[in-house]
């Protein structure tokens, strides 16, 4: 075989010398002579080609053999080389020895999950309890202020309007309702300029800021200023406190400068916020009935759709809803929801909005059938114990009702009138106003006339005040907690608007006896709680390397979880996912297939269970198999449940050491040492003087006695000091290496270590100008740092690998998750500062990508780095705990050079006793050599761009064979928070594109309806805020739209019991041999593959792309209809005998130009 290989090589050299390049190849594979070649040269070339072809044919029969013994020698040599390199530059053996030396003075304790979750829950309960007390004080103060306030119709009162403060007119005079309002940046309020001595007022653009109701309410609520300040002094962890008035104004403390939107208007209306709506009403079942008969065409249908969407926006996850459209017949907007109520979570509300947008008009309106169907839905839900089991309401949206419908109410609703009916008369026409009003007034509802888009908001809000009457008359102050949400309006920076929070709120009532039967709601008071701050009460160091804490609501939705990914990337903007706050626990803890964990937590139980889980690290590319112990309990006085996870094995134990403060403090001040700044070693947010301190500064200040008032975690400080002392010799070791320049290789760039206490030490062996991995272990490199969510990825991976053996891998460089192409992999607990860094890094990456080729090459080179990491343990008796992890970051070029030097037999090798190719060299043309890691990713290849790729993409034939042979295992992972591009077939067929002119007609409709609406309303705000802007862009390519989806994606893992293997793959006319050998003392494998046999036709590449999980119509409907177990809110206020049901609304008289109105209808009809 050796001789044959040499012969073939010789023939090829002869062929080249003979001028084979004078030939070209046609499409059919036949040789065609070039004009410059003579007849003699052609005959010679043909002869050589025949000989060469014959030799190649012989090779198929006498297969090229790769010596497994030679590959094994290379693997052993390379393993020793990189192990020595990693051990020398990291100092791992010295660190392990230092921890071994202190085993006699430390103790190891087993973590008790049940005790931990109980302690964390009590601390969270105490924290949230302080917020509730603050809100109660605000509610009492507001009600007292209203009780002693006499309404003044002609009141004149100047207040600080947050939009107008610190602004002047052309003459330099302060604007009315403005004036000087001091603002100062405050660390506690995300560095926003605020006034902590005073609140100020925000009024939506569509509300007159000098309306008597506004002036009286603002004047009355001035009494809250003292309570705001007093609350903040009693509880310095409080953030925003506020009062949302039922008249429309919003009092916010501390006072801020309100920033209008791009159109110069303020759309924020506190009455639309979830905290206001939930506090103002009890849970409700709502059936929305919309008239889609022929008379509803044009502008009326547009107003009706906006009314439906506004109603949907007033619903929350404790409410239930369905939508019926009627004309000659009754149809469900979502046929899958026929005859039932569905939870009004964000996902379902957005789904309904998409369907409502596709409604079109036809036929004659038959409201009687629709009302019967609505009552049947509500009655059946009540009988089956489904829905909210509280308020029930029908929302009728129509331009008139001509039928005799009294018998429907007599049959289904009278005399109890258990179901309230709210009616919305659409359009300018008042002919049927009396009928529509009669329906509402005889069913304890409320009638409103909605003639323009600008009327919708105020008129829809009326139903909330009616539903609140029983609660107000009873004077029941129910405290509510909202689901997780992001406030994209209040904050004026993108990062701040993407922070997850929850709110606690309480209704404020009028206590005046003369208005008691009317049940007047004055507004709602509340305060925000950043979920990030709440999760600080479950310290990471107590949970261990893979442990974590999470919170869910009474509906089973995630409030906080390290695997919650609420954001995605659309173009250059980060946006909340459509369903970001309705992600169910079963979609994150998806191994809980029977939903036992979810059920127990939703029911508010205390207990525990164990699960075998598959989890991924390093941006979803690598799988780990863990045994997790779950402990959970309810947080009293809230609808929340807390869970914690401890991982079996190393995660079960924590070791505790002790040193003197003096000794520990000396080593804590070393320049190479940092601690996890996101962790809470000392509470710096209580005293304003401490807010600018980093955690390390706070710890040092406390230990030196300079800051004795700081509240610090004694156990964490004790362990941090101990780790600082034990790891201190590493600084001297690394420095000595660096000073010995003759033995240093500048391709070893950084050495680092980390301990369970969040302590890190690292040394840069290479200066910034020469360093390839410039961002490694910087503040922007969250994956490799201790954060509130996780331990560094190198620490987590080392923990699952035998201590003392190095694990090698190339870190993923993408800022986006490669398995979720369209979303940014930002966790739910990033701070505003961290999000700013992420956004800046993303923008910097974009600018680099737009730069010249040199910058692109530099960026590609930055990805060619290798991390070697290993765990360090402490053993006491039979218990072993992980003390930390240590590693080194080097360039890929360093180990490549070592590998190529080893993987080549010299030409004078004695091949007499070798069966197979000899001398064997990885740099020869017919041999391909790869070093891959235990997840199948290429580290070393002759092709530079193979590094970092999954080997299955490089050579599908060999990877397929390795999987079949059991050397690698394919593991399926699932992502129920993914975003996928919408397929063209998923577009609703309710309004197909009948002709190329449809897009033009839609654009014309948008323009004309907005223009005419402007003329009708004489209200520029209404023009800017009409939904047609969205409609205009709704017809963009469906393939560009992203929507939530479920995906399955693979990960691959090496089976370590298979140390070596070799095989031959038959590929048509040739056979490919390969040899695989484990590289000792590492997680790496060496593959030597015959490179001159192309198997790509027989074997497709194996990629790791996610695949959307497709559900057929029946399965999809079943999933949508499924009602998961939930815990209903404890209180319900649906009825009170003293309620004044005669206060049921009325019509306002509006004059209208008939010709203009007809023109509007005509143009709208044309465009429909």
């Amino acid at each position: 075989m050796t001789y044959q290989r040499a012969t073939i090589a010789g023939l090829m050299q002869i062929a080249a010398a003979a001028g084979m390049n004078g030939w070209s190849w046609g499409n059919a594979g036949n040789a065609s002579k070039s004009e410059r070649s003579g007849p003699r040269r052609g005959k010679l070339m043909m002869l050589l080609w025949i000989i060469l072809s014959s030799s190649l044919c012989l090779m198929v029969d006498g297969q090229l053999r790769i010596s497994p013994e030679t590959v094994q020698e290379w693997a052993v040599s390379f393993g020793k080389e990189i192990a020595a390199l990693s051990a020398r530059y990291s100092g791992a053996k010295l660190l392990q020895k230092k921890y071994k030396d202190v085993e006699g003075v430390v103790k190891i304790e087993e973590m008790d999950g049940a005790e931990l979750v109980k302690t964390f829950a009590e601390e969270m309960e105490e924290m949230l309890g302080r917020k509730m007390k603050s809100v109660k004080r605000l509610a009492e103060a507001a009600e007292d202020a209203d009780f002693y306030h006499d309404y003044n119709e002609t009141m004149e009162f100047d207040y600080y309007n947050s939009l107008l403060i610190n602004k002047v007119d052309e003459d330099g005079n302060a604007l009315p309702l403005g004036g000087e309002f001091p603002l100062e940046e405050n660390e506690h309020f995300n560095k926003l300029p605020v006034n902590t001595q005073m609140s100020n007022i925000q009024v939506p653009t569509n509300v007159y800021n000098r309306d008597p109701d506004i002036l009286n309410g603002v004047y009355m609520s001035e009494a809250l200023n003292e309570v705001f300040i007093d609350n903040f002094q009693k509880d310095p962890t409080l953030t925003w406190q506020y009062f949302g008035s039922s008249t429309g104004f919003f009092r916010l403390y501390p006072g801020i400068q309100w920033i209008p939107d791009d159109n110069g208007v303020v759309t924020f209306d506190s009455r639309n916020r979830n905290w206001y709506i939930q506090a103002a009403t009890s849970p409700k079942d709502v059936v929305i009935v919309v008239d889609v008969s022929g008379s509803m065409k044009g502008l009326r249908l547009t107003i009706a759709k906006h009314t439906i969407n506004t109603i949907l926006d007033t619903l929350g996850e404790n409410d239930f809803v369905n939508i019926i459209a009627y004309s000659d017949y009754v149809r469900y907007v979502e046929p899958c929801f026929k005859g039932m109520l569905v939870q009004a979570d964000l996902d379902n509300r957005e789904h309904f909005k998409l369907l409502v947008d596709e409604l079109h008009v036809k036929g004659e309106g038959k409201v009687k059938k629709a009302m019967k169907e609505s009552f049947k839905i509500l009655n059946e839900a009540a009988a089956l114990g489904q829905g909210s089991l509280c308020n029930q309401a029908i929302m009728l949206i129509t331009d008139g009702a001509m039928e005799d419908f009294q018998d429907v109410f007599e049959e289904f609703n009278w005399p109890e009138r258990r179901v309230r009916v709210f009616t919305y008369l659409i359009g300018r026409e008042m002919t049927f106003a009396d009928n529509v009003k009669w329906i509402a007034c005889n069913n304890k509802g409320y009638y409103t006339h909605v003639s323009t888009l600008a009327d919708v908001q105020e008129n829809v809000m009326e139903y909330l005040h009616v539903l609140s009457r029983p609660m107000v008359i009873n004077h029941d102050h129910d405290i509510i907690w909202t689901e997780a949400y992001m406030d994209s309006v209040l904050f004026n920076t993108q990062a701040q608007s993407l922070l997850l929070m929850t709110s606690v709120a309480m209704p404020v009532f009028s206590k005046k006896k003369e208005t008691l039967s009317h049940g007047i709601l004055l507004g709602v008071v509340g305060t925000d709680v950043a979920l990030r701050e709440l999760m600080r009460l479950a310290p990471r160091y107590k949970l261990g390397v893979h442990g974590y804490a999470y919170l869910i609501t009474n509906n089973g939705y995630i409030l906080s979880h390290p695997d919650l990914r609420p954001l995605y990337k659309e173009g250059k903007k980060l946006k909340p996912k459509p369903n970001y706050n309705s992600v169910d626990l079963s979609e994150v803890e998806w191994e809980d297939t029977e939903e036992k964990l979810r059920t127990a937590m939703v029911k508010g139980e205390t207990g525990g269970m164990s699960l075998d889980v598959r989890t991924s690290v390093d941006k979803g590319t690598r799988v780990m198999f863990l045994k997790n112990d779950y402990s959970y309990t309810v947080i009293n006085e809230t609808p929340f449940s807390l869970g914690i996870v401890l991982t079996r094995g190393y995660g079960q134990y924590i070791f505790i050491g002790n040193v003197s403060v003096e000794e520990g403090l000396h080593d804590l001040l070393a320049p190479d040492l940092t601690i996890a700044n996101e962790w809470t070693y000392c509470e710096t947010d209580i005293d304003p003087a401490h807010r600018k301190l980093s955690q390390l500064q706070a710890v040092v200040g406390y230990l030196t006695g300079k800051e004795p008032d700081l509240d610090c975690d004694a156990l964490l400080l004790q362990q941090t000091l101990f780790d600082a002392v034990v790891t201190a010799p590493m600084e001297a070791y690394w420095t000595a290496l660096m000073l010995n320049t003759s033995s240093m290789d500048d391709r070893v760039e950084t050495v680092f270590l980390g301990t369970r206490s969040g302590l890190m030490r690292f040394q840069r062996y290479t200066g910034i100008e020469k360093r390839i991995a410039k961002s490694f272990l910087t503040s922007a490199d969250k994956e490799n740092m201790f954060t509130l969510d996780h331990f560094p990825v190198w620490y987590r991976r080392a923990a699952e690998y035998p201590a003392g053996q190095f694990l090698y891998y190339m870190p993923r460089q993408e800022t986006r998750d490669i398995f979720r192409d369209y979303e940014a992999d930002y966790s739910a607990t990033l701070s505003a500062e961290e999000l700013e860094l992420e956004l800046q890094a993303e923008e910097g990456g974009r600018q680099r990508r737009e730069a010249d080729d040199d910058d692109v090459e530099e960026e590609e080179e930055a990805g060619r780095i290798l991390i070697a990491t290993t765990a360090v343990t402490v053993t006491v008796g039979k218990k072993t705990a992980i003390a930390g992890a240590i590693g080194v970051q080097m360039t890929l070029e360093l180990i490549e050079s070592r590998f190529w030097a080893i993987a080549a037999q010299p030409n004078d090798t004695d091949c007499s006793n070798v069966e197979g190719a000899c001398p064997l060299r990885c740099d020869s043309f017919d041999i391909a050599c790869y070093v891959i890691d235990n997840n199948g990713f290429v580290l070393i290849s002759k092709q530079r761009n193979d590094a970092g790729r999954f080997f299955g993409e490089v050579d599908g034939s060999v990877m397929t064979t390795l999987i079949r042979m059991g050397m690698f295992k394919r593991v399926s992972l699932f992502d129920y928070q993914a975003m996928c591009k919408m397929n063209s077939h998923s577009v609703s067929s309710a309004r197909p594109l009948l002709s190329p002119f449809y897009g033009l007609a839609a654009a014309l409709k948008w323009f004309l309806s907005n223009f005419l609406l402007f003329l009708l309303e004489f209200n520029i705000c209404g023009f800017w805020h009409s939904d047609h802007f969205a409609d205009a862009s709704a017809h963009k390519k469906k393939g560009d739209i992203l929507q939530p989806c479920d995906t399955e994606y693979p990960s691959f893992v090496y089976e370590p019991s298979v140390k070596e293997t070799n095989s031959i793959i038959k590929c048509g006319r040739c056979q490919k041999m390969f040899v695989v050998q484990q590289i000792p003392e590492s997680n790496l494998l060496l593959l030597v593959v015959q490179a001159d046999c192309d198997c790509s036709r027989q074997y497709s590449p194996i990629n790791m792309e996610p695949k959307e999980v497709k559900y057929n119509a029946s399965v999809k409907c079943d999933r949508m209809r499924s009602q998961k177990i939930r815990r209903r809110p404890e209180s319900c206020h649906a009825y009170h005998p003293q309620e004044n049901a005669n206060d049921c609304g009325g019509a306002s008289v509006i004059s209208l130009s008939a010709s203009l109105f007809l023109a509007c209808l005509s143009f709208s009809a044309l465009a429909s």
Side-chain angles (χ1 to χ4, degrees), residues 86 752 776 781 784 793-794 797 806-811 865-869 887-890 939 1083:
S86 304
F752 53 87
F776 182 64
D781 184 20
N784 291 305
V793 67
W794 46 265
R797 294 207 64 202
F806 280 91
L807 177 140
Y808 303 87
Y809 69 98
M810 282 182 68
I865 63 171
L866 184 78
I867 291 176
T869 179
V888 62
Q889 174 263 312
M890 62 192 91
L939 269 61
N1083 64 317

Side-chain angles (χ1 to χ4, degrees), residues 907-927:
N907 292 329
D908 59 356
T909 301
D910 181 7
C911 298
S912 56
N913 296 320
V914 177
E915 187 179 351
C918 184
L920 189 64
R921 299 179 62 88
C922 277
D923 57 4
S924 58
F925 77 94
D926 54 353
I927 294 292

Side-chain angles (χ1 to χ4, degrees), residues 95 98-99 102 106 541 655-659 664 667-668 673 675 679 681 715-730 753-761 786 795 874 882-884:
L95 184 62
K98 291 299 175 185
Y99 273 104
V102 298
V106 302
Y541 78 97
F655 87 92
I656 300 169
N658 201 1
V659 293
D667 292 320
L668 197 64
L673 185 146
I675 58 175
W679 293 12
Y681 296 80
L715 181 60
L716 180 54
L717 257 58
Q718 175 185 329
Q719 193 57 44
T720 304
L721 290 174
F722 183 80
D723 288 339
V725 171
V726 177
T727 61
M730 301 310 300
L753 68 83
T755 70
R756 183 166 176 159
S757 63
L759 176 145
M760 276 186 64
R761 290 181 184 270
F786 288 94
Y795 195 121
V874 172
I882 288 188

Side-chain angles (χ1 to χ4, degrees), residues 660 882 964 986 993 1079:
S660 68
I882 288 188
R964 285 176 184 167
S986 66
L993 297 177
I1079 297 174

Side-chain angles (χ1 to χ4, degrees), residues 789-1074:
D789 278 336
H790 55 68
F791 278 53
V793 67
W794 46 265
Y795 195 121
R796 285 180 281 163
R797 294 207 64 202
E800 294 308 305
Y801 200 68
Q805 289 187 23
F806 280 91
L807 177 140
Y808 303 87
Y809 69 98
M810 282 182 68
R812 309 303 304 183
Q813 292 300 306
E814 292 87 351
T815 54
R816 290 186 304 170
D817 190 326
I818 63 167
F819 295 110
R820 304 173 185 108
D821 286 343
Y822 314 115
E823 66 176 283
D825 194 16
Y826 298 114
S827 70
T829 52
L830 285 178
S831 68
E833 293 83 355
E834 289 157 6
L835 267 169
E836 289 285 11
L837 284 169
E838 294 281 5
L839 293 166
Q840 289 168 11
E842 189 72 26
E843 179 63 17
R846 181 187 66 80
Q847 291 172 354
R848 285 195 298 275
R849 287 189 290 274
E850 293 172 356
D852 57 32
D853 292 339
D854 291 339
D855 288 337
V856 173
E857 287 176 14
E858 183 181 327
E859 188 171 317
E860 289 175 354
E861 194 64 31
R864 293 177 54 78
I865 63 171
L866 184 78
I867 291 176
T869 179
T870 186
V872 176
T873 59
V874 172
T875 301
V876 177
K878 294 183 179 179
K879 297 177 181 177
T880 299
I882 288 188
I886 187 168
V888 62
Q889 174 263 312
M890 62 192 91
T891 69
L892 203 56
E893 183 192 359
L894 174 60
I895 67 159
E896 283 176 336
S897 62
R898 304 289 176 103
F899 174 75
W900 298 123
I902 290 170
Q905 288 183 313
N907 292 329
D908 59 356
T909 301
D910 181 7
C911 298
S912 56
N913 296 320
V914 177
E915 187 179 351
C918 184
L920 189 64
R921 299 179 62 88
C922 277
D923 57 4
S924 58
F925 77 94
D926 54 353
I927 294 292
C929 296
Y930 304 93
V931 174
I932 66 173
D933 67 18
N934 58 321
N935 296 113
F937 289 96
V938 177
L939 269 61
I940 298 175
S941 167
K942 275 191 283 194
Q943 303 297 322
R944 276 174 61 90
N945 60 355
D946 285 346
R949 293 175 65 195
F950 177 60
F951 181 67
E953 297 173 4
V954 177
D955 192 329
S957 63
V958 175
M959 193 68 203
T960 300
T961 307
L962 291 176
I963 294 169
R964 285 176 184 167
M965 295 171 72
M967 196 165 198
F968 272 88
K969 181 168 69 172
R970 186 188 189 279
V971 181
S972 289
L973 299 170
F974 296 91
D975 183 4
Y976 297 103
Q977 302 177 65
M979 296 290 287
C980 301
K981 282 189 175 180
M982 186 183 290
N983 295 323
S984 56
H985 62 74
S986 66
V987 181
S988 172
S989 58
R991 179 177 275 180
L993 297 177
L994 298 176
S995 76
F997 300 103
Y998 179 77
L1000 181 61
L1004 180 63
K1005 175 184 176 182
W1006 168 76
F1007 175 75
L1008 290 174
S1009 59
N1010 272 287
F1011 178 68
L1012 290 168
L1013 181 63
F1014 169 68
L1015 294 175
L1016 282 167
E1017 295 177 349
F1018 291 98
N1019 184 342
I1020 191 71
C1021 176
F1023 177 76
W1024 282 115
H1025 287 91
S1026 68
D1027 284 349
H1028 288 87
F1029 278 116
D1031 293 345
S1033 61
H1035 300 288
K1036 68 180 180 179
K1037 286 184 181 177
K1038 293 289 183 181
D1040 294 336
I1041 298 174
L1042 300 177
Q1043 62 181 4
C1045 64
D1046 299 341
T1047 59
E1048 177 186 1
Y1049 62 97
S1051 185
F1052 297 85
V1053 64
Y1054 164 61
E1055 173 51 59
S1057 61
V1058 184
K1059 304 292 184 186
E1060 58 186 31
T1061 190
N1062 61 79
S1063 183
I1064 295 174
I1065 305 169
K1066 294 183 179 179
C1067 301
R1069 292 179 58 82
C1070 67
Q1071 298 183 91
K1072 176 188 287 190
M1073 181 182 183
F1074 68 87

Side-chain angles (χ1 to χ4, degrees), residues 285 341 375-390 392 418-419 1128:
D285 298 332
L341 293 167
F375 279 114
K376 285 178 182 177
I377 294 172
L378 294 171
N379 289 343
E380 187 172 334
L384 296 175
Q386 297 174 349
S388 70
L389 299 183
C390 193
Q392 290 195 322
R418 186 174 47 81
V419 179
R1128 289 184 175 88

